[in-house]
Amino acid sequence: MVGRRKSGEFDLIERVFRPLSRAAPGAFALGNDGALLTPPAGASLVVTKDVMVAGVHYPEGEDPATVARRLLRVNLSDLAAMGAEASSYALGLALPEDADDAWVQAFAAGLARDQEAFGVALVGGDTVAARGPAVLSLTAFGWVAGEACLTRAGAGEGDDIYVSGTIGDAALGLRAVQGDLPALAAEDRAALAARFRLPEPRLALGAALIGIATCAIDVSDGLVADLGHICEESGVAARVTAGAVPFSEPARRALAAGEAAVADLVSGGDDYELLFCAAPSARAVIEALGQRLDLPLTRIGIVEPGAGATILGADGEPLALHRAGYTHF
């Protein structure tokens, strides 16, 4: 963020944000006080909201287009965790004075790029001045058929526990963005940084899991913490084998180089993979689903009676964790 903003609020809306709304039915091209959202016949509206603060959720000085794409994607990940089809979003920006026109235009260009990629459009929002760091808020809207959605409740004793993709890349990626991980090759640091900056919302997977998974959550706070949320909402316990948790090749090289421990990867956040449970009878269906989506779906543990999530290390004993995952307070 450099320079000073020269455009007024309404000029910004007209030039920068209104073009992002033109594909959205009921948005009135941002010309009204609100939007009119009409779910498809027989569908239910799914709503989620996330807030990102400069210096907390992304480094100061980060590319604004990347910040915008990350903001949209973490919200779409919440829709994916409920099996929803993404539809549209509303935006709230509290920007400091040094967020000049170029910053705002680059931010909007990032939104435009991912709008096209994920088939969503802007339907409303607000932009205000802030005296502190930038505060970026996005509310995403999606649909599910009837009331058929995935929730954190529903895991039952004997269910398998699965996770998509790989775990721990984003925690390492943040360190790479901050100039850490000196033992890794430059290409590994770049790959991990990309996983932090641009998570992949698993929308197709979430929608396909309706009727298969008994519960689901996206891995935002960390694998252990988010599995704990499932345990709490479902009234069960979970046992995961650390050796079964999928790690990428760059993450494995970080482990081998002593740059991180397994405990760091299973408790690190921001992966935005889907963590879900399903009955053992669904194993073949889930394997076929992973092949169809070209996405690894790895069985990592089992649901048991009791409470809380336990991660077993190579010695069969519970892994010592400094924390279960990220918390704001």
Side-chain angles (χ1 to χ4, degrees):
M1 297 185 186
V2 294
R4 295 179 64 86
R5 200 161 50 245
K6 296 181 174 61
S7 300
E9 176 187 3
F10 298 108
D11 183 50
L12 279 177
I13 292 172
E14 179 65 33
R15 290 190 303 104
V16 180
F17 293 115
R18 181 165 285 181
L20 300 178
S21 74
R22 288 180 179 145
F28 303 107
L30 306 187
N32 265 336
D33 289 322
L36 184 65
L37 302 182
T38 304
S44 296
L45 177 66
V46 181
V47 182
T48 185
K49 183 182 189 67
D50 269 308
V51 176
M52 288 181 11
V53 181
V56 177
H57 300 96
Y58 64 92
E60 296 274 8
E62 188 79 322
D63 169 53
T66 301
V67 171
R69 297 174 68 191
R70 176 175 167 79
L71 177 64
L72 180 56
R73 287 171 180 231
V74 300
N75 279 273
L76 295 181
S77 181
D78 283 334
L79 294 182
M82 296 191 70
E85 177 185 349
S87 171
S88 55
Y89 67 98
L91 187 66
L93 303 178
L95 299 177
E97 288 187 354
D98 61 353
D100 60 10
D101 284 5
W103 192 96
V104 177
Q105 289 166 354
F107 182 88
L111 289 176
R113 178 172 176 176
D114 270 7
Q115 279 193 186
E116 183 175 357
F118 296 107
V120 296
L122 180 67
V123 295
D126 194 18
T127 304
V128 300
R131 294 184 177 177
V135 179
L136 316 174
S137 173
L138 192 144
T139 303
F141 306 98
W143 322 116
V144 293
E147 296 181 358
C149 68
L150 301 170
T151 71
R152 299 178 181 184
E157 182 180 347
D159 277 0
D160 293 325
I161 302 168
Y162 290 85
V163 71
S164 66
T166 55
I167 292 298
D169 291 336
L172 290 170
L174 176 58
R175 291 175 57 190
V177 168
Q178 294 169 335
D180 199 358
L181 306 180
L184 292 189
E187 56 266 30
D188 280 346
R189 293 197 302 271
L192 294 168
R195 286 276 285 153
F196 167 75
R197 286 178 164 132
L198 291 176
E200 189 68 35
R202 303 300 187 184
L203 289 160
L205 173 61
L209 285 175
I210 291 181
I212 299 173
T214 55
C215 63
I217 190 171
D218 69 333
V219 181
S220 55
D221 296 330
L223 177 69
V224 179
D226 289 313
L227 184 55
H229 297 324
I230 284 179
C231 290
E232 182 177 1
E233 294 299 320
S234 297
V236 295
R239 174 167 48 90
V240 166
T241 302
V245 176
F247 300 129
S248 68
E249 289 303 316
R252 290 186 181 279
R253 285 190 280 271
L255 292 171
E259 291 282 13
V262 169
D264 301 323
L265 303 191
V266 298
S267 60
D270 289 330
D271 288 310
Y272 296 100
E273 296 292 348
L274 290 192
L275 177 66
F276 62 96
C277 300
S281 59
R283 288 177 184 177
V285 173
I286 291 171
E287 181 180 359
L289 175 60
Q291 292 174 351
R292 176 166 65 83
L293 297 177
D294 193 23
L295 175 65
L297 304 177
T298 306
R299 182 159 48 95
I300 61 173
I302 190 170
V303 176
E304 301 176 323
T310 301
I311 310 293
L312 300 181
D315 58 1
E317 296 297 318
L319 204 63
L321 301 172
H322 298 298
R323 62 175 190 173
Y326 181 81
T327 59
H328 291 274
F329 303 102

